[in-house]
Amino acid sequence: MPSSSAVVDHAASMSDIARDQVQHVRQHVGAAMTTTPAAAKDPAVCPTDDEALTPRRKTTRTWDYIWRSGLAGGFAGCAAKTMVAPLDRVKILFQASNPQFAKYSGSSFGVATAIKDIYHSEGGRGLYRGHSATLLRIFPYAGIKFLAYEQIRSLLIPDKHHETPLRRLLSGSLAGVTSVFFTYPLEVVRVRLAFETKRDGRSSLTSICRQIYREHPAAVEKTASGAAATTTTATSRQAGLVNFYRGFLPTLLGMLPYAGMSFLTHDTVSDLLRHPSIAERTTLPRTTSWPADKPAPLRSWAELSAGGIAGLISQTASYPLEVIRRRMQVGGAVGDGRRLKLGETARTIFRERGIRGFFVGLTIGYVKVIPMVAVSFYTYERMKLVLGI
């Protein structure tokens, strides 16, 4: 029969063996935990889809992510608008039926002729008339839009199972409405500055603001002979800050298809460009430091293509409401000064030019919006890489 000391030694050796086995198992499990989650998770199909992953969804709620995404969106908007500022001014002049430039709107080379006319009469700075107000508006507008999209998307699409085109469309639409609500007054000021074509005594930013604030809507009254007479009521309740929201309703209606289709199309095209069959030609190689749960960024041409297609589709879907909005915004600067409502403005445009009136300047709209949206998404995605989000 073995002695007690032998039993103790045998028990100790068994304990050591068990301890070694437990430690080996823990090391094996730890190694598996560090390698399998990234591989087990389905990577997001495009950079803006990162919120579909649980860790990224938590990250989007931090203040650090919020200010970085807002900053990236602001820079993206400024870069895009600066590139197309001359085209933007000509488009506004066409849409608002400026008397001096209406003759160019139906010409095949009307855009080039109008740009040449502006350059000769006002110089190079004339092509950027109102651009300072544009930058003041677009930085917060784009920043809020991209930031709101990231946050709203993380709520509507908490995981990959909720990834549907309808939720993407709704996320983009709500983001656009949020951004335009906070920045619309600056848009009205920008349109007024761009609409003005007089050479001498040009209005400054502050004078335009005062003019808009003091405008009183004209009311149409019937005279004794039954003719319509226009009168201005100095004590009108609609004078004041409400003037900075002229055309706000069609803006909201137009933003729903514009922003929604823009984000939906961009994300969908990005999905297609990241398909495994063509990913080698459309995505940049992954670096060793690149997170495994993030998709490889698209190459420059692919990212610009996704944004350009998004601009084409979103512009087509929302353009008629954009024309109505422009006419309402300049209502106090042309005609009898009477503020027209959405339905009245639409009927006026239809009476003047028919259905084609709702698509005046659409060609220049394509020329402007396609590169603008392409540069906007491209800059935003690249700024996210620079800022580490």
Side-chain angles (χ1 to χ4, degrees):
M1 186 171 181
S3 62
S4 61
S5 60
V7 172
V8 172
D9 293 340
H10 179 71
S13 62
M14 292 298 292
S15 177
D16 292 339
I17 294 173
R19 188 184 305 111
D20 293 340
Q21 290 178 344
V22 171
Q23 185 176 1
H24 178 71
V25 170
R26 285 179 176 174
Q27 291 176 349
H28 179 72
V29 172
M33 290 297 291
T34 58
T35 58
T36 57
K41 287 181 178 293
D42 293 331
V45 291
C46 70
T48 49
D49 289 344
D50 296 336
E51 299 84 338
L53 304 173
T54 302
R56 293 291 296 171
R57 184 174 182 270
K58 292 179 180 179
T59 304
T60 60
R61 303 302 175 83
T62 64
W63 283 110
D64 183 67
Y65 188 92
I66 289 174
W67 79 261
R68 288 173 187 266
S69 61
L71 183 65
F75 275 115
C78 289
K81 277 292 187 179
T82 299
M83 188 185 71
V84 298
L87 293 173
D88 198 23
R89 191 191 176 193
V90 173
K91 190 185 76 167
I92 290 175
L93 293 172
F94 284 179
Q95 288 179 332
S97 296
N98 185 284
Q100 185 177 341
F101 291 88
K103 57 186 177 182
Y104 300 136
S105 61
S107 173
S108 302
F109 300 96
V111 174
T113 307
I115 291 177
K116 182 179 179 181
D117 193 356
I118 294 173
Y119 181 80
H120 284 309
S121 61
E122 303 179 38
R125 296 181 62 181
L127 297 173
Y128 289 86
R129 177 105 174 120
H131 190 56
S132 59
T134 298
L135 295 181
L136 288 175
R137 181 193 71 92
I138 200 61
F139 188 89
Y141 168 79
I144 293 173
K145 182 178 70 173
F146 282 105
L147 169 61
Y149 179 71
E150 300 271 7
Q151 299 301 315
I152 295 172
R153 193 182 190 285
S154 68
L155 292 175
L156 297 181
I157 309 177
D159 53 54
K160 202 65 179 174
H161 299 292
H162 293 83
E163 188 81 24
T164 63
L166 179 60
R167 289 176 181 266
R168 282 180 171 179
L169 177 68
L170 187 58
S171 298
S173 298
L174 293 178
V177 170
T178 301
S179 61
V180 79
F181 175 79
F182 289 103
T183 59
Y184 189 78
L186 288 171
E187 167 70 1
V188 175
V189 174
R190 179 185 75 90
V191 170
R192 285 296 187 88
L193 285 170
F195 183 77
E196 192 174 89
T197 57
K198 58 184 180 181
R199 301 184 184 182
D200 301 323
R202 294 192 182 98
S203 303
S204 63
L205 181 62
T206 54
S207 63
I208 285 289
C209 291
R210 284 195 299 265
Q211 177 185 345
I212 296 174
Y213 182 84
R214 294 171 181 173
E215 286 174 356
H216 296 278
V220 176
E221 297 179 355
K222 293 291 184 178
T223 62
S225 60
T230 301
T231 60
T232 301
T233 306
T235 59
S236 173
R237 296 180 181 179
Q238 293 181 318
L241 293 177
V242 72
N243 289 337
F244 289 93
Y245 280 87
R246 281 183 171 177
F248 186 62
L249 178 58
T251 299
L252 287 181
L253 296 177
M255 186 55 63
L256 293 174
Y258 180 80
M261 292 301 297
S262 180
F263 280 104
L264 170 62
T265 306
H266 173 265
D267 287 359
T268 302
V269 175
S270 296
D271 292 354
L272 298 176
L273 291 174
R274 283 190 173 89
H275 193 274
S277 62
I278 60 173
E280 292 184 359
R281 295 185 291 273
T282 58
T283 60
L284 295 172
R286 289 177 178 271
T287 61
T288 55
S289 60
W290 189 257
D293 62 343
K294 290 188 64 176
L298 291 173
R299 296 181 184 273
S300 296
W301 71 265
E303 186 63 62
L304 289 171
S305 298
I309 296 173
L312 173 67
I313 295 178
S314 60
Q315 179 74 354
T316 304
S318 62
Y319 197 79
L321 284 168
E322 184 178 349
V323 174
I324 295 174
R325 172 168 60 101
R326 297 297 189 199
R327 290 290 292 268
M328 293 179 71
Q329 285 175 338
V330 300
V334 296
D336 56 15
R338 185 168 66 91
R339 181 184 291 119
L340 297 177
K341 296 181 180 180
L342 177 62
E344 292 178 297
T345 305
R347 286 192 294 271
T348 300
I349 296 173
F350 183 78
R351 259 196 328 267
E352 292 177 353
R353 300 188 179 184
I355 294 296
R356 296 182 61 182
F358 294 99
F359 294 93
V360 170
L362 180 58
T363 302
I364 188 175
Y366 285 145
V367 174
K368 189 202 80 164
V369 170
I370 291 176
M372 184 185 72
V373 177
V375 170
S376 178
F377 276 112
Y378 173 81
T379 305
Y380 178 65
E381 298 297 346
R382 291 302 186 261
M383 285 297 298
K384 288 176 68 176
L385 298 178
V386 172
L387 296 174
I389 56 175

